Amino acid sequence: MNSILIVDDSNSMRLMVEQTLSSAGFDITAAEDGEVALDIATNRDQPFDLIITDVNMPGMDGIALIHELRKLDEYDTRPILVLTTESGEDKKMAGKSAGATGWIIKPFVPDKLVAVANQVVHG
Amino acid sequence: MIARSLYCELASYCEEDTVSENTATAQSLLDLTVRDNRRVMDELTKCFVELSHRIDILNAQLSNVGGDAAADPAHLATLMQVNEVQQLINEHIEHMQVHDITDQRLVHIARLLADGNVNPESVVAEERERELIEMLSCGMEATAAVELIHALPIKKHVTELF
């Protein structure tokens, strides 16, 4: 079973993403901000197959999280998707420069989110 | 168009000699969010995602019916109804997301207003939020801001893989 780490400061949003992806057969772990996510990711035996992160969060935001993850050997090529309300080109470019694999604008459509997750995890 | 016309209408606030009370406005915005009812919001979310999950299972079971039963008009009608329910639940899940997103935007804007950080170059998500901050700084009421943000069209699940 492929594993996904979901990072979002909104409890409701985490629940929706978690339920959507767990119904599709993924093993889900959730974190409420970048610092917690980084801690979980670095203290795990096996790296997550996919990380899905929000951008605007208290403490470490999504872009900073991607920067930190890409410094780690186990996450230098793992897919990282950004799921956000941000649609501005400057933020998107910042995410791309940090090493994001893709950019999805909320609100998400459940079926489409599952399709994108499968696409980036399985190639 | 909607955004622009509302903006023009509400921008008239800025022409008035209104004393800016950003902290009070920020508090008014926060009072309009559902943050104090977060538990209710989470329960509703759980309810919809659970329903969605169960309908998925039901749909899969109905789709696996084989032989003559698969062509039975009653079976086909049930399958169609289940699909309609699934679509309805998905629409509600989307509405829940929109409420959640609007709430987060209001909290974000309120925080910027309260901090006195209303510089257009600050970390505001989008142009429409910058406009909103501008209007709130000029005296627009929080309730009008909420109506405005709800009236704005939203992009939905635009995906770009790099």
Side-chain angles (χ1 to χ4, degrees):
Chain A
M1 185 182 281
N2 292 113
S3 58
I4 300 180
L5 174 61
I6 297 163
V7 194
D8 200 307
D9 59 325
S10 162
N11 196 34
S12 296
M13 196 59 75
R14 282 200 309 275
L15 279 171
M16 282 184 265
V17 178
E18 184 172 350
Q19 183 62 48
T20 298
L21 294 171
S22 62
S23 292
F26 290 101
D27 177 29
I28 306 297
T29 302
E32 66 268 26
D33 64 41
E35 283 167 13
V36 174
L38 190 61
D39 188 48
I40 292 172
T42 51
N43 288 299
R44 188 179 157 93
D45 293 337
Q46 290 291 318
F48 289 99
D49 297 299
L50 168 64
I51 293 176
I52 300 177
T53 182
D54 188 15
V55 172
N56 293 318
M57 295 180 287
M60 184 187 290
D61 69 17
I63 305 290
L65 172 65
I66 297 170
H67 269 295
E68 292 303 314
L69 286 169
R70 289 304 188 210
K71 291 177 188 169
L72 305 170
D73 289 344
E74 60 268 42
Y75 287 103
D76 61 352
T77 58
R78 296 268 163 178
I80 303 176
L81 293 173
V82 177
L83 180 61
T84 177
T85 57
E86 296 271 7
S87 58
E89 280 301 313
D90 49 348
K91 269 285 164 79
K92 200 192 294 180
M93 285 306 108
K96 187 179 180 181
S97 300
T101 309
W103 197 269
I104 303 169
I105 297 176
K106 294 176 187 170
F108 68 86
V109 176
D111 292 349
K112 289 185 180 176
L113 183 64
V114 170
V116 176
N118 275 318
Q119 186 182 346
V120 296
V121 168
H122 300 118
Chain B
M1 277 299 283
I2 297 171
R4 185 49 54 188
S5 62
L6 278 170
Y7 177 69
C8 292
E9 186 184 331
L10 293 168
S12 60
Y13 282 98
C14 295
E15 293 166 7
E16 296 171 8
D17 187 21
T18 312
V19 177
S20 180
E21 294 180 349
N22 288 342
T23 307
T25 308
Q27 187 55 52
S28 301
L29 274 178
L30 289 176
D31 290 343
L32 290 168
T33 66
V34 294
R35 68 198 172 112
D36 291 331
N37 295 318
R38 178 52 63 188
R39 194 175 57 81
V40 177
M41 179 88 168
D42 290 346
E43 287 301 320
L44 280 171
T45 305
K46 271 185 201 169
C47 175
F48 281 121
V49 293
E50 181 63 25
L51 278 173
S52 178
H53 179 53
R54 287 176 186 240
I55 289 286
D56 271 347
I57 294 168
L58 188 58
N59 207 349
Q61 287 172 344
L62 286 169
S63 299
N64 283 335
V65 169
D68 292 342
D72 183 346
H75 172 75
L76 292 173
T78 306
L79 197 57
M80 196 165 75
Q81 281 178 351
V82 168
N83 280 327
E84 284 172 5
V85 171
Q86 177 70 80
Q87 196 178 341
L88 193 64
I89 290 170
N90 282 343
E91 284 170 14
H92 282 296
I93 288 177
E94 189 185 314
H95 290 156
M96 295 295 290
Q97 288 185 70
V98 172
H99 275 293
D100 192 79
I101 291 163
T102 304
D103 232 34
Q104 285 190 50
R105 282 196 168 132
L106 290 174
V107 172
H108 185 211
I109 289 167
R111 196 175 293 143
L112 290 170
L113 274 170
D115 290 348
N117 182 7
V118 290
N119 185 324
E121 297 305 315
S122 62
V123 285
V124 185
E126 292 166 1
E127 186 188 355
R128 60 193 179 192
E129 292 184 0
R130 285 198 288 271
E131 290 175 349
L132 207 55
I133 285 185
E134 215 173 289
M135 288 187 279
L136 284 161
S137 299
C138 293
M140 185 177 73
E141 291 191 1
T143 47
V146 174
E147 280 177 28
L148 178 60
I149 207 163
H150 272 293
L152 290 169
I154 54 165
K155 291 182 179 178
K156 189 172 73 173
H157 200 101
V158 178
T159 303
E160 185 178 344
L161 293 180
F162 301 134

